[in-house]
Amino acid sequence: MRTIRRLYFYAVALISLEVVVWGLIGLLRSIFSSRLVNTADVLAQALALVLVGVPIFLFHWLWTRRAAAKDEEERTASLRAIFFYAALIGTLVPVVQNLLAFINRIALGLTDVAASRALVGGMQTWQDNLIAIFINGIVAFYFYSILRAEWKSLPEVDNFADVRRLYRYLWLLYGLLMVVYGAQQILRFIFYIPVPTSLLGHVGREMLVNGLTLLLVGTPLWVYTWRICQDALPVSSPQGAPAERASNLRLGVLYLLSLGGVITVLSTGGTLLDVILRWAFGEAMAGYEFIQEIGGPISLGLPLAGIWAYYGGWLSRQIQSDENENRRASKKRFYYYILSALGLGASFIGVALVLSFVIDLVTSNAVWGGALRPRLAAALATLVVGLPLWLRTWQPMQAEALADHEVGEHARRSTIRRVYLYLALFAGVIGGMVSAVALVYQLVNALLSGKLPADFLANVLNAAQLLALFAVLLVYHLNCMRQDSAR
């Protein structure tokens, strides 16, 4: 009951706080901004937000202050910590966004590009941004001051430490997202050639300016928050928070960044290979068109390759820091099985596409330069990306499961391996059933109607090859499961 009451008061306090903040921002903007139209309407809305929001916020906020002063449980509650850090995010993120908009428009003006081409805040003024920064900054400073005082006097800090850890990693992801997007915009600008006679980057300068602005704002934010996260690793914080090294949240963020990096790199690598193969197979593609085609995957793949390389290394260190051998192997196993599943799926699709291409090439009159060339390029690109990934990740896991030592026993009994094998069995059974239905339908329909459609042979062979592939998938993983059980 107390938790529900606590949730109500803190939720209303947080929402009404945002109402008051943006009401004040709207009020000041209506006074100082010269670009507003229908100022009376804007002023009325701002006053309504402030006049309604202030008493509601004060009532609920003062109640939480009194409750925390009287009751130690209220004072150390997770919801109280969530409120403080949510208030900081709700005010500091607008500060960063308005700073980004302010710098972005200045940079665009210096390069003779319209301010409306800004990534954010293209229709705002410098007064709009400074007012939002000022109001949000004051409110953020107020709650930050209270939070610092709370940390010094809390009898139990575990709840606050958990929420603070989440707060830090949210900022890390926010800053890193700006860095990645900024780098992508700059690389995309380099590969931008609209017409054969243009130079690299001659048109689309806003991409370069927007990218540089994102890097200018996002890089210090990312570096600062990552340094804070790293500095918390060796020992507990001065306030007595638990060591960060054992944090599941940290491990989850490293998994997210590493897996997100490798998945993006592989998918963009497949797209890049598809373009190269289409060009190699004779598709008419001028030089500037080819550069633009490869520019998209390269601009996204390179930044994410850096993320994969950097945070993949930290993930390995995080896993190796676990002193328990079985737990350490389990963390590594989780990473490998996810990549193995992705590699297996891509390999299966690639093989199916190659076989389908061969069947259509033999049984139809399709034109090579029309549908067949891009199909072969896509099939080979998918196979070239997926098969090495599956072999690279599945073979170590299979070798570990076949070992006779204690780690092998844990590997065979691990939940992630069983989930992986049962998912493969599920895909084999369901996919085989669908393929079998399609095959039987073609045969029975031809038998009952007495007519053979023009694409009858191609449809039968495609259904048969899918049925065969799903059967191989099913038998192979069923055999792996039987080996695990036998051992």
Side-chain angles (χ1 to χ4, degrees):
M1 193 67 182
R2 298 183 65 183
T3 301
I4 297 175
R5 181 186 64 183
R6 193 180 301 140
L7 175 62
Y8 161 77
F9 272 93
Y10 281 115
V12 174
L14 184 62
I15 294 172
S16 59
L17 172 65
E18 289 297 312
V19 169
V20 173
V21 167
W22 288 102
L24 289 173
I25 292 172
L27 182 62
L28 292 178
R29 282 176 173 176
S30 67
I31 295 173
F32 292 101
S33 180
S34 59
R35 295 179 58 183
L36 288 177
V37 295
N38 198 3
T39 308
D41 181 64
V42 175
L43 182 60
Q45 291 181 10
L47 285 173
L49 291 174
V50 173
L51 294 176
V52 173
V54 167
I56 296 176
F57 168 72
L58 289 177
F59 174 78
H60 291 82
W61 169 238
L62 293 177
W63 183 93
T64 61
R65 294 293 300 268
R66 289 193 298 268
K70 295 177 182 179
D71 190 347
E72 183 176 304
E73 181 183 350
E74 289 285 344
R75 191 176 180 186
T76 59
S78 296
L79 282 173
R80 181 173 174 81
I82 291 173
F83 170 81
F84 279 122
Y85 284 106
L88 289 180
I89 288 179
T91 51
L92 290 178
V93 167
V95 168
V96 175
Q97 288 296 109
N98 279 274
L99 178 63
L100 177 66
F102 180 69
I103 297 175
N104 200 178
R105 288 197 311 276
I106 291 177
L108 288 172
L110 294 176
T111 56
D112 197 25
V113 178
S116 60
R117 308 299 294 273
L119 190 65
V120 291
M123 304 306 295
Q124 293 177 336
T125 64
W126 64 269
Q127 295 99 325
D128 294 336
N129 297 136
L130 293 183
I131 289 171
I133 291 172
F134 176 72
I135 296 297
N136 280 287
I138 289 178
V139 176
F141 179 77
Y142 170 72
F143 283 103
Y144 177 73
S145 302
I146 296 177
L147 189 58
R148 285 191 63 182
E150 291 288 330
W151 269 103
K152 295 178 181 178
S153 59
L154 283 174
E156 176 59 51
V157 299
D158 287 348
N159 292 336
F160 273 68
D162 291 339
V163 178
R164 182 182 64 179
R165 188 178 302 118
L166 176 61
Y167 169 80
R168 288 173 174 174
Y169 281 110
L170 287 175
W171 276 108
L172 172 68
L173 295 175
Y174 176 50
L176 189 58
L177 179 63
M178 285 198 286
V179 171
V180 170
Y181 188 38
Q184 187 272 335
Q185 288 287 289
I186 294 173
L187 291 171
R188 195 70 188 93
F189 162 80
I190 294 174
F191 286 93
Y192 186 84
I193 310 179
V195 294
T197 58
S198 293
L199 299 175
L200 286 175
H202 182 67
V203 178
R205 290 193 303 273
E206 71 276 2
M207 285 192 289
L208 176 63
V209 176
N210 292 340
L212 289 174
T213 306
L214 284 167
L215 288 181
L216 181 64
V217 176
T219 302
L221 178 61
W222 168 55
V223 172
Y224 175 71
T225 51
W226 177 241
R227 176 54 55 191
I228 290 177
C229 295
Q230 292 297 93
D231 289 343
L233 282 179
V235 294
S236 301
S237 67
Q239 292 87 354
E244 300 287 325
R245 191 175 299 278
S247 168
N248 288 328
L249 177 62
R250 175 181 171 84
L251 182 63
V253 169
L254 293 178
Y255 273 131
L256 174 66
L257 294 174
S258 183
L259 287 171
V262 64
I263 292 170
T264 306
V265 168
L266 291 171
S267 61
T268 55
T271 305
L272 177 63
L273 184 59
D274 174 66
V275 175
I276 295 174
L277 288 175
R278 284 192 285 115
W279 173 77
F281 290 156
E283 181 174 323
M285 195 179 299
Y288 73 96
E289 292 177 327
F290 180 76
I291 292 177
Q292 284 199 44
E293 287 282 342
I294 66 174
I298 290 177
S299 66
L300 184 58
L302 281 181
L304 269 297
I307 298 297
W308 175 25
Y310 184 71
Y311 283 104
W314 278 108
L315 176 62
S316 298
R317 298 180 197 178
Q318 180 76 9
I319 292 174
Q320 292 300 321
S321 66
D322 197 321
E323 298 179 355
N324 186 291
E325 182 180 6
N326 291 326
R327 194 163 56 235
R328 187 167 61 243
S330 177
K331 293 175 181 179
K332 180 180 178 181
R333 199 175 297 129
F334 177 77
Y335 181 77
Y336 269 69
Y337 275 115
I338 290 178
L339 293 180
S340 179
L342 294 173
L344 178 61
S347 301
F348 185 93
I349 294 173
V351 172
L353 290 176
V354 170
L355 293 177
S356 177
F357 166 81
V358 173
I359 291 171
D360 289 347
L361 180 65
V362 173
T363 61
S364 67
N365 296 321
V367 180
W368 165 249
L372 292 181
R373 178 168 51 211
R375 284 180 56 188
L376 179 59
L380 292 178
T382 305
L383 186 59
V384 169
V385 169
L387 186 58
L389 175 63
W390 178 62
L391 294 175
R392 176 67 179 81
T393 52
W394 170 249
Q395 287 179 343
M397 295 298 96
Q398 184 67 357
E400 181 188 55
L402 294 177
D404 293 327
H405 46 65
E406 183 182 357
V407 174
E409 178 67 18
H410 279 272
R412 290 188 291 272
R413 295 179 178 273
S414 66
T415 302
I416 183 62
R417 178 173 175 84
R418 291 177 177 271
V419 169
Y420 176 89
L421 292 176
Y422 274 110
L423 282 176
L425 295 180
F426 177 83
V429 171
I430 300 300
M433 181 177 64
V434 172
S435 302
V437 168
L439 178 60
V440 172
Y441 166 77
Q442 293 292 336
L443 297 175
V444 173
N445 184 55
L447 181 62
L448 294 178
S449 65
K451 298 179 182 179
L452 293 180
D455 58 352
F456 172 77
L457 182 58
N459 290 337
V460 168
L461 291 177
N462 276 309
Q465 64 100 353
L466 282 176
L467 178 60
L469 288 178
F470 280 116
V472 171
L473 180 72
L474 175 63
V475 171
Y476 176 76
H477 288 91
L478 184 59
N479 182 59
C480 291
M481 185 172 290
R482 286 175 175 172
Q483 286 180 332
D484 288 354
S485 299
R487 285 178 176 271

